[in-house]
Amino acid sequence: MLLTVADASPSWADVLQQIAKAENADALNTLEQQIFGRKDGTMTLAMKELKDLDGAGRMERARELNEEKRKLVEAIESRKTALTSPDDGTLKKNDALDVTLNLPKKEQGHLHLVPEFIAEVEEIFGRMGFDVMYSPEIETEDLNFTQLNIPEDHPARDMQDTFWMKTKGKEKRVLRTHTSPGQIRYMRSHKPPFRAIFPGKVYRKDADATHSPMFHQFEGLMIGKNVTLANMKAVMETAVRELIAKDATFRWRTGFFSFTEPSLEMDVRWKGEDKTKEGDWLEIVGCGMTHPNVLRNCDIDPEEWQGFAFGFGVERMVMIKHQIPSIRTLFPGDLRFLRQF
Ligand code: DAH
């Protein structure tokens, strides 16, 4: 006889045993009805009684019932399977392998904030028709600086600013200081019109709360017949809203980069309570209309083609998005930090 809910606490263990012993499909169906019937199933009624409890008591009871319910459903399913499998005597009960053993749950990892963000960047720009290219991290001095119209005496070429590689040959190599050389490589291997982004690591001799000797950027480039500054602003504002927040507040400033003319910079308002050392606004990107000299360096006629380029700082965007006041927390791989996201 099935226990009813009239018992203060039906013994679910007994019910489980009855399920396991059900002799045929009909008996099992009847049991299932008695437990889960919509009107007066034992479990249904027990669930209905939850509403009479309050607060923590109700939560605790609900958790218990759900656990019992899960066991019952499982037991019914496994009995159903047992009853419907032909018993040809070849698999004796004792030979059976219990694959239902509950092992402790395996901990699942997830991507670090930075690669996760870059994957989002690729997705969002992909939707806007941008190609993705990965450009080398060890770059020639020529592509990192000269081809980008950066003058010979620019301070970024100093030992103090840049990691130079020991090179035997004549060509000097650096750990790229920005993702901009990707522009040159792309323009030399594709014919305009095109639009593409180049994400990756960059390196500078810089270290404080908002600078790190290794950080990530993603460069963007769009060249066509009539591409204007208005297109640039539209693309970049869309990206910032999608990547950081729909209501992100930002401001445009004029800037200077030798590979763009005119050049602009964009700052985004810092929302966190802990201030960064830079105050309310964090510069996240430099951009502008591609300089004619850069186009010429890639055999593209500036009389015919024009467009824009930008270089976003990934960590700074991640910092604003998640209100992380120091860039340094992003890199040590401390799980207590990473598990928060
Ligand atoms: N490469 C610059 C930097 O790292 C950022 C930048 C500025 C990239 C203007 C661009 C650009 O493509 O047009 O500071």
Side-chain angles (χ1 to χ4, degrees), residues 148 177-180 183 202 204 215 217 219-220 256-257 259-260 263-264 283 285-290 308-312:
L148 286 162
T177 59
H178 50 183
T179 43
S180 304
Q183 292 187 35
V202 301
R204 291 182 200 173
F215 61 103
Q217 289 187 333
E219 192 83 8
F256 174 80
F257 299 98
F259 33 100
T260 42
S263 304
L264 296 172
E283 180 201 325
V285 61
C287 56
M289 297 300 288
T290 305
F308 63 80
F310 53 76
F312 277 95

Short mmCIF file of all heavy atoms in Angstrom, two decimals, residues 148 177-180 183 202 204 215 217 219-220 256-257 259-260 263-264 283 285-290 308-312, ligand 1:
data_model
loop_
_atom_site.label_atom_id
_atom_site.label_comp_id
_atom_site.label_asym_id
_atom_site.label_seq_id
_atom_site.Cartn_x
_atom_site.Cartn_y
_atom_site.Cartn_z
N LEU A 148 54.58 52.82 -40.87
CA LEU A 148 53.42 53.51 -40.30
C LEU A 148 53.67 55.01 -40.20
O LEU A 148 52.99 55.72 -39.47
CB LEU A 148 53.07 52.94 -38.93
CG LEU A 148 52.41 51.56 -38.97
CD1 LEU A 148 52.51 50.86 -37.62
CD2 LEU A 148 50.94 51.67 -39.38
N THR A 177 54.92 47.03 -30.47
CA THR A 177 54.45 47.96 -29.43
C THR A 177 52.97 48.27 -29.60
O THR A 177 52.36 48.90 -28.75
CB THR A 177 55.23 49.27 -29.49
OG1 THR A 177 55.06 49.84 -30.79
CG2 THR A 177 56.71 49.02 -29.24
N HIS A 178 52.41 47.85 -30.72
CA HIS A 178 50.98 48.03 -30.99
C HIS A 178 50.55 47.06 -32.08
O HIS A 178 51.41 46.41 -32.70
CB HIS A 178 50.65 49.48 -31.38
CG HIS A 178 51.53 50.06 -32.48
ND1 HIS A 178 51.41 51.35 -32.91
CD2 HIS A 178 52.53 49.51 -33.22
CE1 HIS A 178 52.30 51.57 -33.88
NE2 HIS A 178 52.98 50.48 -34.08
N THR A 179 49.24 46.94 -32.30
CA THR A 179 48.77 46.01 -33.33
C THR A 179 48.74 46.68 -34.71
O THR A 179 48.39 46.04 -35.70
CB THR A 179 47.37 45.46 -32.99
OG1 THR A 179 46.56 46.53 -32.50
CG2 THR A 179 47.44 44.37 -31.94
N SER A 180 49.16 47.96 -34.77
CA SER A 180 49.06 48.69 -36.04
C SER A 180 49.85 48.07 -37.21
O SER A 180 49.40 48.19 -38.35
CB SER A 180 49.47 50.15 -35.83
OG SER A 180 48.67 50.73 -34.82
N GLN A 183 47.99 46.38 -39.92
CA GLN A 183 47.40 47.15 -41.03
C GLN A 183 48.22 47.01 -42.30
O GLN A 183 47.70 46.78 -43.38
CB GLN A 183 47.37 48.65 -40.69
CG GLN A 183 46.43 49.04 -39.58
CD GLN A 183 46.38 50.57 -39.48
OE1 GLN A 183 46.45 51.26 -40.49
NE2 GLN A 183 46.27 51.08 -38.27
N VAL A 202 50.49 43.03 -27.19
CA VAL A 202 51.49 44.04 -27.53
C VAL A 202 52.35 44.29 -26.29
O VAL A 202 51.95 43.93 -25.17
CB VAL A 202 50.83 45.35 -28.03
CG1 VAL A 202 49.98 45.09 -29.24
CG2 VAL A 202 50.01 46.00 -26.92
N ARG A 204 55.19 46.87 -24.09
CA ARG A 204 55.88 48.15 -23.87
C ARG A 204 56.51 48.14 -22.49
O ARG A 204 56.00 47.51 -21.57
CB ARG A 204 54.88 49.30 -23.91
CG ARG A 204 54.33 49.53 -25.28
CD ARG A 204 53.40 50.71 -25.29
NE ARG A 204 52.53 50.61 -26.47
CZ ARG A 204 51.51 51.40 -26.72
NH1 ARG A 204 51.23 52.38 -25.88
NH2 ARG A 204 50.80 51.23 -27.79
N PHE A 215 50.09 43.77 -22.87
CA PHE A 215 48.64 43.94 -22.83
C PHE A 215 48.08 43.61 -24.20
O PHE A 215 48.82 43.18 -25.09
CB PHE A 215 48.26 45.34 -22.34
CG PHE A 215 48.74 46.48 -23.19
CD1 PHE A 215 47.87 47.16 -24.05
CD2 PHE A 215 50.07 46.90 -23.14
CE1 PHE A 215 48.32 48.21 -24.83
CE2 PHE A 215 50.52 47.96 -23.92
CZ PHE A 215 49.64 48.62 -24.77
N GLN A 217 45.57 44.56 -27.61
CA GLN A 217 44.87 45.58 -28.37
C GLN A 217 44.08 44.88 -29.46
O GLN A 217 44.34 43.73 -29.79
CB GLN A 217 45.86 46.51 -29.08
CG GLN A 217 46.61 47.46 -28.18
CD GLN A 217 47.44 48.46 -28.99
OE1 GLN A 217 47.85 48.18 -30.12
NE2 GLN A 217 47.71 49.61 -28.40
N GLU A 219 43.20 46.12 -33.35
CA GLU A 219 43.30 47.13 -34.38
C GLU A 219 42.14 46.94 -35.33
O GLU A 219 41.66 45.82 -35.52
CB GLU A 219 44.60 46.86 -35.14
CG GLU A 219 45.04 47.95 -36.04
CD GLU A 219 45.79 49.02 -35.25
OE1 GLU A 219 46.09 48.82 -34.05
OE2 GLU A 219 46.08 50.06 -35.86
N GLY A 220 41.69 48.03 -35.93
CA GLY A 220 40.65 47.92 -36.95
C GLY A 220 41.05 48.75 -38.15
O GLY A 220 41.79 49.72 -38.03
N PHE A 256 47.06 62.86 -31.71
CA PHE A 256 48.04 62.80 -32.80
C PHE A 256 48.63 61.41 -32.94
O PHE A 256 49.13 60.82 -31.98
CB PHE A 256 49.18 63.80 -32.57
CG PHE A 256 50.24 63.64 -33.62
CD1 PHE A 256 50.07 64.19 -34.89
CD2 PHE A 256 51.37 62.85 -33.39
CE1 PHE A 256 51.02 63.97 -35.89
CE2 PHE A 256 52.31 62.63 -34.39
CZ PHE A 256 52.13 63.20 -35.64
N PHE A 257 48.55 60.86 -34.13
CA PHE A 257 49.26 59.62 -34.49
C PHE A 257 49.81 59.85 -35.88
O PHE A 257 49.09 60.39 -36.73
CB PHE A 257 48.30 58.42 -34.48
CG PHE A 257 47.69 58.17 -33.14
CD1 PHE A 257 46.41 58.64 -32.86
CD2 PHE A 257 48.38 57.51 -32.14
CE1 PHE A 257 45.84 58.44 -31.60
CE2 PHE A 257 47.82 57.30 -30.89
CZ PHE A 257 46.56 57.77 -30.62
N PHE A 259 50.27 57.88 -38.21
CA PHE A 259 49.69 57.08 -39.30
C PHE A 259 48.24 57.44 -39.60
O PHE A 259 47.59 56.79 -40.40
CB PHE A 259 49.83 55.58 -39.02
CG PHE A 259 49.76 55.22 -37.56
CD1 PHE A 259 48.59 54.74 -37.02
CD2 PHE A 259 50.87 55.39 -36.73
CE1 PHE A 259 48.52 54.41 -35.67
CE2 PHE A 259 50.81 55.07 -35.39
CZ PHE A 259 49.63 54.59 -34.85
N THR A 260 47.71 58.47 -38.90
CA THR A 260 46.35 58.92 -39.23
C THR A 260 46.31 60.44 -39.30
O THR A 260 47.08 61.12 -38.61
CB THR A 260 45.32 58.45 -38.17
OG1 THR A 260 45.88 58.62 -36.88
CG2 THR A 260 44.91 57.01 -38.38
N SER A 263 43.58 62.72 -36.40
CA SER A 263 43.57 61.64 -35.41
C SER A 263 42.66 62.01 -34.25
O SER A 263 42.54 63.18 -33.90
CB SER A 263 44.97 61.42 -34.85
OG SER A 263 45.89 61.15 -35.88
N LEU A 264 42.03 61.01 -33.67
CA LEU A 264 41.15 61.22 -32.53
C LEU A 264 41.46 60.21 -31.44
O LEU A 264 42.06 59.17 -31.70
CB LEU A 264 39.68 61.04 -32.94
CG LEU A 264 39.08 61.99 -33.95
CD1 LEU A 264 37.69 61.51 -34.35
CD2 LEU A 264 39.00 63.39 -33.38
N GLU A 283 41.29 56.57 -21.21
CA GLU A 283 41.46 56.56 -22.67
C GLU A 283 41.49 55.11 -23.13
O GLU A 283 42.24 54.30 -22.59
CB GLU A 283 42.78 57.25 -23.00
CG GLU A 283 43.05 57.30 -24.48
CD GLU A 283 44.53 57.50 -24.78
OE1 GLU A 283 45.21 58.21 -24.01
OE2 GLU A 283 44.98 56.94 -25.79
N VAL A 285 41.12 54.21 -26.78
CA VAL A 285 41.38 53.97 -28.20
C VAL A 285 41.94 55.20 -28.89
O VAL A 285 41.61 56.33 -28.54
CB VAL A 285 40.07 53.51 -28.92
CG1 VAL A 285 39.00 54.56 -28.85
CG2 VAL A 285 40.33 53.11 -30.37
N GLY A 286 42.85 54.95 -29.84
CA GLY A 286 43.31 55.99 -30.74
C GLY A 286 42.82 55.62 -32.13
O GLY A 286 42.67 54.45 -32.44
N CYS A 287 42.56 56.65 -32.95
CA CYS A 287 41.99 56.34 -34.26
C CYS A 287 42.11 57.54 -35.19
O CYS A 287 42.56 58.61 -34.78
CB CYS A 287 40.51 55.98 -34.10
SG CYS A 287 39.58 57.27 -33.27
N GLY A 288 41.69 57.37 -36.40
CA GLY A 288 41.70 58.49 -37.34
C GLY A 288 41.60 58.00 -38.77
O GLY A 288 41.42 56.80 -39.02
N MET A 289 41.72 58.97 -39.70
CA MET A 289 41.68 58.62 -41.12
C MET A 289 43.09 58.23 -41.54
O MET A 289 44.06 58.96 -41.28
CB MET A 289 41.19 59.83 -41.95
CG MET A 289 39.77 60.27 -41.62
SD MET A 289 38.53 58.99 -41.89
CE MET A 289 38.46 58.91 -43.67
N THR A 290 43.20 57.09 -42.18
CA THR A 290 44.52 56.55 -42.54
C THR A 290 45.34 57.57 -43.36
O THR A 290 44.84 58.14 -44.33
CB THR A 290 44.33 55.24 -43.34
OG1 THR A 290 43.54 54.38 -42.54
CG2 THR A 290 45.66 54.58 -43.65
N PHE A 308 39.58 54.50 -42.48
CA PHE A 308 39.98 54.80 -41.10
C PHE A 308 40.63 53.59 -40.45
O PHE A 308 40.53 52.46 -40.95
CB PHE A 308 38.77 55.25 -40.28
CG PHE A 308 37.68 54.21 -40.14
CD1 PHE A 308 37.77 53.19 -39.21
CD2 PHE A 308 36.54 54.28 -40.95
CE1 PHE A 308 36.76 52.25 -39.07
CE2 PHE A 308 35.53 53.33 -40.82
CZ PHE A 308 35.63 52.31 -39.88
N ALA A 309 41.31 53.88 -39.33
CA ALA A 309 41.92 52.81 -38.53
C ALA A 309 41.72 53.17 -37.07
O ALA A 309 41.55 54.34 -36.72
CB ALA A 309 43.40 52.69 -38.85
N PHE A 310 41.74 52.14 -36.23
CA PHE A 310 41.68 52.40 -34.78
C PHE A 310 42.43 51.30 -34.05
O PHE A 310 42.66 50.22 -34.60
CB PHE A 310 40.23 52.47 -34.28
CG PHE A 310 39.38 51.29 -34.63
CD1 PHE A 310 39.52 50.08 -33.96
CD2 PHE A 310 38.43 51.38 -35.65
CE1 PHE A 310 38.74 48.99 -34.29
CE2 PHE A 310 37.64 50.29 -35.99
CZ PHE A 310 37.79 49.09 -35.32
N GLY A 311 42.85 51.63 -32.82
CA GLY A 311 43.52 50.62 -31.99
C GLY A 311 42.98 50.71 -30.57
O GLY A 311 43.28 51.65 -29.85
N PHE A 312 42.14 49.74 -30.19
CA PHE A 312 41.53 49.74 -28.85
C PHE A 312 42.43 49.01 -27.85
O PHE A 312 43.08 48.01 -28.21
CB PHE A 312 40.21 48.96 -28.87
CG PHE A 312 39.02 49.75 -29.34
CD1 PHE A 312 38.62 49.70 -30.67
CD2 PHE A 312 38.29 50.51 -28.44
CE1 PHE A 312 37.50 50.41 -31.10
CE2 PHE A 312 37.17 51.21 -28.87
CZ PHE A 312 36.77 51.17 -30.20
N1 DAH B 1 48.73 52.23 -32.30
C1 DAH B 1 48.24 53.26 -31.42
C2 DAH B 1 48.75 53.01 -30.02
O1 DAH B 1 49.06 51.91 -29.70
C3 DAH B 1 46.73 53.29 -31.38
C4 DAH B 1 46.16 53.72 -32.70
C5 DAH B 1 45.97 55.04 -32.96
C6 DAH B 1 45.83 52.80 -33.66
C7 DAH B 1 45.40 55.46 -34.16
C8 DAH B 1 45.29 53.20 -34.87
C9 DAH B 1 45.08 54.56 -35.10
O2 DAH B 1 44.95 52.36 -35.82
O3 DAH B 1 44.54 54.93 -36.26
O4 DAH B 1 48.82 53.92 -29.23
#
